[in-house]
Structure formats: structure tokens, C-alpha cells
């Protein structure tokens, strides 16, 4: 796809707005054809972490993921790459699904059928948004037809709620988190701003998890390995000005909202939607970003309740204005230890071998 070198006025304004918002809560863009907010604006997925302190284990975690010799990898693009997602309404038939891990799955029923788009490859994730109820349904290893369906696990997320899954439960992802809110979407890039964290994977993880994650699938009990839920941020000092406008939208999101470790897989593979509109040139640019330009951040001070995704606001001032330029750090406001929440039994393992995508 050929891009114009000119920067549309609307996109420049959107980029300036994203820069000025600072650490104020943001509202993630609604999925196309819906009016569904993807979690409340105070949710940790939608929280700017650009001022949070670097995590004490950052250097060790980066080393374990070979950051010094690895580039970021966009694990999405035109079919078959990336996560397809489905938007349905309440008239779509629902079916019962038999789970491999029923004790950690929401029983449903789920709005799946012959029309459901499923991720290519062995993981076979299915992501479904009901536009009428603003409910997100996610399934791992989905297979079946008619009224007979099976899956490894399934999770249902009311998109208007900050509630997390029970501690120790998996979801359709190893970390027990939703997948859809962490996907880079082409419609967001076109709109000029991504205001949420981005999902990514690591080859080896610790047998523990950090809020907001709820589950672990670690290869070893080793604090030098990153745990599920660990959040990483592209350094503010990394110059993104030479990238295309569209690529800058994604990299700016990484500087402000970061990436959340959510599954085992190839190091530094980050997730997006399956969409034929993704320009190859944008994907190629993203592959040049050194993983060594990221830091792990300590966001534990943002936690209000370990069973909620609601995050403490770090925006300066008390006026409630979103136009905050100099947010303060919240690190001193919480006594939660940096190592976060205890791990869960590895009852629902996930992909432990590297995934090689586009």
C-alpha cells in the first residue's frame, strides 16, 4: 500500500492530543460497528504508565528475553496473521462449550457458530464482541460445528466492568487476562491514537504473576524471568520522529501505555488484529525497533484492589481535566511489594514453544 508523505491535519491534531494527555485515564476506542467502551477509562489497560518507575528486575527480565539482540515483532497483518475478531448482536445463537479446563472457565453459553472467525494456527483463539450487551467472549483452542463445540478454556468479560477473573484462573490467555483489549487495531492507527496497553509474549516466564494478571504458566520458579502481567514501556528517549505517521501511533502507545506480558511464545512478539489493510511498510518499520529500548515498569502503586482492574490516577491536579502535561508518580502511595501477587498452580498450561509468525 502506498502512503502519502503529507500528514493529514486530523492526524496531526490527534497525535498532539495523545502527547498532551499525559497520565490521565483514557478511553480505548470502541470496536468498529459498536458503541462499546473497551473497559472503563480508569482500567489499568487504559492507564498511561509513562511516569511510572523502572522495575527493580527490569535488566534481568530484558536479558532473559534477549532484548539486546532482538527486535520487536508485530505478530499481525493480512490473513492469516493476527487475531480476527467477531462482532455479533444478541440475536446470534449461543451454544454450550465443553472445556478442557472447566474449573477455570466461564460456563457460557457462547455466541459461536459456523460464521465465527477463528485464529489460524494451533491456538485457535476466538474473540467475539456482542455489540448489544458490550460483552466480550474469548475462547482458546475452539473447535466444533453445529451444537457440538469444545475449547481449552473460555472467559467472558463485561466490557463496562473493572472486575478481574478469580485469582489463579486462566482465560483464553495464559495470564488470565482478556486478549482483545491488548490488540493493535488498524482503525485505531487510522484515528491517530492507541490509548491502551499492547499484548505481547515471551519464550520463558516465571511461575508467578503480577497484577492485573490472574494466572501463570511459567517454565521455572526464577525471579530473573518475567512473570505474567509484567508491563514494559518503550523509552521516552527513543527517537520515533523518523518513522511514518502510522508507525508513530503504535510506538507512542508503547511509550505511554506500554506492553503487557500475557502468554508464552516468541520473545517480543506483540499482537494485533488480522486485517488486510495493514501496510507491509508499517510492519517492516516496526520490526526495526530494538527490544533493548524498552524497560520493565513497576505499576504496583496503581493497584486499588487486587481483584479489580481499576487503577489509581496519577494525573496531577484535582480539576479532573484530561489536559495534564506533568503527572506525578504514584509509587509512594502503595505498600504492595514489587513482586506482586503470588503465582497460581500451572493447571492450565499454554504455548511454551516459540511461535514464528509473519
Amino acid at each position: 500500500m502506498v502512503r502519502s508523505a503529507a500528514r493529514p491535519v486530523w492526524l496531526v491534531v490527534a497525535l498532539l492530543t495523545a502527547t498532551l494527555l499525559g497520565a490521565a485515564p483514557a478511553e480505548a476506542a470502541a470496536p468498529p460497528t459498536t458503541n462499546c467502551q473497551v473497559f472503563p477509562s480508569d482500567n489499568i489497560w487504559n492507564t498511561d504508565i509513562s511516569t511510572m518507575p523502572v522495575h527493580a528486575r527490569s535488566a534481568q527480565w530484558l536479558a532473559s528475553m534477549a532484548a539486546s539482540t532482538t527486535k520487536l515483532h508485530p505478530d499481525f497483518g493480512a490473513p492469516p496473521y493476527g487475531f480476527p475478531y467477531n462482532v455479533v448482536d444478541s440475536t446470534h445463537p449461543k451454544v454450550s462449550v465443553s472445556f478442557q479446563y472447566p474449573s477455570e472457565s466461564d460456563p457460557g453459553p457462547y455466541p459461536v457458530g459456523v460464521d465465527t472467525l477463528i485464529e489460524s494456527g494451533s491456538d485457535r483463539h476466538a474473540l467475539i464482541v456482542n455489540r448489544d450487551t458490550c460483552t466480550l467472549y474469548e475462547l482458546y483452542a475452539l473447535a466444533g460445528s453445529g451444537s457440538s463445540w469444545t475449547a481449552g478454556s473460555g472467559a467472558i468479560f463485561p466490557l463496562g466492568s473493572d472486575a478481574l477473573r478469580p485469582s489463579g484462573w486462566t482465560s483464553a490467555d495464559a495470564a488470565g487476562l482478556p486478549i482483545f483489549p491488548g490488540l493493535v487495531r488498524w482503525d485505531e492507527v487510522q484515528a491517530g491514537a492507541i490509548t491502551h496497553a499492547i499484548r505481547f509474549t515471551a519464550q520463558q516466564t516465571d511461575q508467578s504473576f503480577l497484577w492485573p494478571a490472574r494466572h501463570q504458566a511459567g517454565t521455572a520458579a526464577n525471579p530473573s524471568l518475567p512473570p505474567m502481567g509484567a508491563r514494559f514501556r518503550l523509552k521516552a528517549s527513543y527517537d520515533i520522529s523518523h518513522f511514518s505517521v502510522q508507525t508513530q501511533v503504535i510506538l507512542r502507545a508503547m511509550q505511554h501505555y506500554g506492553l503487557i506480558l500475557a502468554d508464552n511464545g516468541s520473545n517480543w512478539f506483540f499482537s494485533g488484529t488480522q486485517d488486510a489493510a495493514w501496510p507491509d511498510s508499517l510492519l517492516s518499520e516496526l520490526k526495526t525497533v530494538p527490544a533493548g529500548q524498552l524497560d520493565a515498569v513497576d505499576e504496583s502503586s496503581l493497584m486499588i484492589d487486587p481483584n479489580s482492574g481499576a487503577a489509581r490516577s496519577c494525573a496531577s491536579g484535582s480539576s479532573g481535566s484530561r489536559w495534564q502535561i506533568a503527572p506525578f508518580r504514584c509509587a509512594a502511595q502503595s505498600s504492595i511489594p514489587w513482586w506482586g501477587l503470588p503465582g497460581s498452580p500451572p493447571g492450565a498450561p499454554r504455548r511454551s514453544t516459540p511461535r514464528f509468525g509473519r
Side-chain angles (χ1 to χ4, degrees):
M1 177 181 294
V2 178
R3 283 192 304 271
S4 169
R7 299 188 179 190
V9 173
W10 62 266
L11 187 51
V12 173
V13 171
L15 291 173
L16 289 173
T17 299
T19 301
L20 291 172
L21 287 182
E27 183 173 318
T33 76
T34 83
N35 294 313
C36 297
Q37 181 177 349
V38 184
F39 293 140
S41 59
D42 68 348
N43 192 276
I44 188 61
W45 278 100
N46 303 329
T47 299
D48 187 316
I49 45 83
S50 58
T51 63
M52 302 309 297
V54 173
H55 200 287
R57 294 278 185 184
S58 180
Q60 292 174 302
W61 293 351
L62 289 171
S64 76
M65 293 185 285
S68 64
T69 58
T70 306
K71 301 289 200 300
L72 299 186
H73 188 98
D75 195 17
F76 55 91
Y81 303 105
F83 286 90
Y85 67 93
N86 306 264
V87 177
V88 301
D89 59 29
S90 294
T91 67
H92 194 287
K94 293 182 179 180
V95 299
S96 297
V97 178
S98 296
F99 294 109
Q100 182 180 0
Y101 304 108
S103 65
E104 296 180 21
S105 295
D106 293 323
Y110 289 78
V112 301
V114 66
D115 58 335
T116 302
L117 300 174
I118 299 174
E119 178 197 20
S120 299
S122 60
D123 281 1
R124 295 184 57 82
H125 288 105
L127 315 179
I128 307 158
V129 176
N130 182 321
R131 67 163 67 93
D132 293 335
T133 63
C134 293
T135 302
L136 173 64
Y137 299 82
E138 297 192 343
L139 296 135
Y140 164 69
L142 179 65
S145 62
S147 60
S148 179
W149 292 84
T150 62
S153 53
I156 301 174
F157 301 92
L159 290 176
S161 171
D162 282 321
L164 299 177
R165 295 178 66 67
S167 183
W169 277 35
T170 189
S171 59
D173 225 357
L177 295 170
I179 295 171
F180 183 80
L183 299 183
V184 175
R185 305 195 324 250
W186 177 238
D187 62 282
E188 295 175 309
V189 173
Q190 287 182 301
I194 295 172
T195 55
H196 60 79
I198 299 169
R199 174 190 186 269
F200 88 108
T201 61
Q203 188 170 347
Q204 297 184 79
T205 57
D206 184 39
Q207 291 178 349
S208 66
F209 58 89
L210 294 177
W211 176 83
R214 311 301 280 165
H215 184 264
Q216 62 87 13
T219 54
N222 182 352
S224 295
L225 299 176
M228 292 295 172
R231 195 148 177 176
F232 292 77
R233 175 183 65 210
L234 184 63
K235 294 177 180 178
S237 60
Y238 182 66
D239 182 12
I240 65 173
S241 64
H242 61 283
F243 289 96
S244 68
V245 173
Q246 293 95 336
T247 301
Q248 286 187 46
V249 171
I250 298 173
L251 297 181
R252 187 169 288 106
M254 292 182 179
Q255 290 178 327
H256 283 266
Y257 296 90
L259 302 93
I260 295 180
L261 180 56
D263 200 358
N264 295 317
S266 295
N267 288 331
W268 302 109
F269 275 43
F270 66 98
S271 303
T273 57
Q274 183 181 108
D275 195 324
W278 284 115
D280 286 339
S281 55
L282 178 150
L283 300 173
S284 295
E285 281 192 311
L286 290 170
K287 293 176 184 178
T288 69
V289 178
Q293 289 296 320
L294 284 88
D295 290 315
V297 298
D298 183 352
E299 64 179 4
S300 62
S301 62
L302 300 180
M303 186 176 75
I304 299 170
D305 180 335
N307 295 312
S308 171
R312 180 177 285 108
S313 174
C314 289
S316 62
S318 58
S319 65
S321 170
R322 297 187 68 193
W323 296 92
Q324 312 282 0
I325 298 178
F328 65 85
R329 294 188 179 190
C330 304
Q333 298 182 13
S334 172
S335 61
I336 300 163
W338 65 262
W339 54 85
L341 303 175
S344 61
R350 284 293 179 269
R351 185 175 60 239
S352 58
T353 55
R355 175 178 180 180
F356 301 98
R358 183 182 180 88

